[in-house]
Structures are given as structure tokens and as C-alpha cells.
Amino acid sequence: VFETMLRDVERIDPQNEQLLTMRTAAAIQDGNLELARTLAADALARYPESSFSWLSQASLLHTEGKLEEALAAYGEVLERDAD
């Protein structure tokens, strides 16, 4: 239901980066890691300087057990939020 609602909102505002990262989080929570990978990659491609995009990537990597890569991605979040 939540994923359906997010897709409906995306139709209204397809450039909303926070929506894209929320969809990534929902996919991770649902265990749909393939979709989460696609969404996280899309977020980073669209918004490479966004801490939201990096947080999605970090969460996905952490969930996948890729801890070194997750730590590096969390570092990117901190770097962007330092301002």
C-alpha cells in the first residue's frame, strides 16, 4: 500500500528526490533489494550531491552486509551534511 501511494505521488512530482529515497527505503523494508538497488542507483544518478541519495545507498549496502562500502557511503552523507 505504501509503495503504491509513493508511486502515485511520483506521478504528480517525478523530480522529488525525497520521494525517490522514501521508495528506496520502502523497498529495503519490504525485502525487495533488487528494486532498492535500482532506486538507489537512480537517486545517485539524478542527485549525486544529495545526502538523501547517499543515505539510501548506505542503508542498502548495510542491509546487504557490505559494511565497508556502507561506511564509505555514510561518510558521503556526513560530508554533504557538514554545511
Side-chain angles (χ1 to χ4, degrees), residues 47-61:
Y47 312 104
E49 296 302 316
S50 168
S51 60
F52 291 110
S53 296
W54 281 101
L55 184 58
S56 291
Q57 181 71 9
S59 296
L60 173 62
L61 291 166

Side-chain angles (χ1 to χ4, degrees), residues 20-35:
L20 185 55
T21 58
M22 286 173 44
R23 287 192 63 212
T24 305
I28 292 169
Q29 186 169 2
D30 288 344
N32 189 344
L33 299 185
E34 184 175 333
L35 176 60

Side-chain angles (χ1 to χ4, degrees), residues 34-48:
E34 184 175 333
L35 176 60
R37 281 185 211 100
T38 299
L39 294 170
D42 189 25
L44 278 175
R46 287 189 200 186
Y47 312 104

Side-chain angles (χ1 to χ4, degrees), residues 1-18:
V1 173
F2 186 63
E3 179 64 26
T4 302
M5 181 194 70
L6 292 176
R7 273 190 251 122
D8 290 344
V9 173
E10 187 174 35
R11 278 187 223 121
I12 296 166
D13 186 7
Q15 299 304 313
N16 187 320
E17 76 177 275
Q18 292 177 355

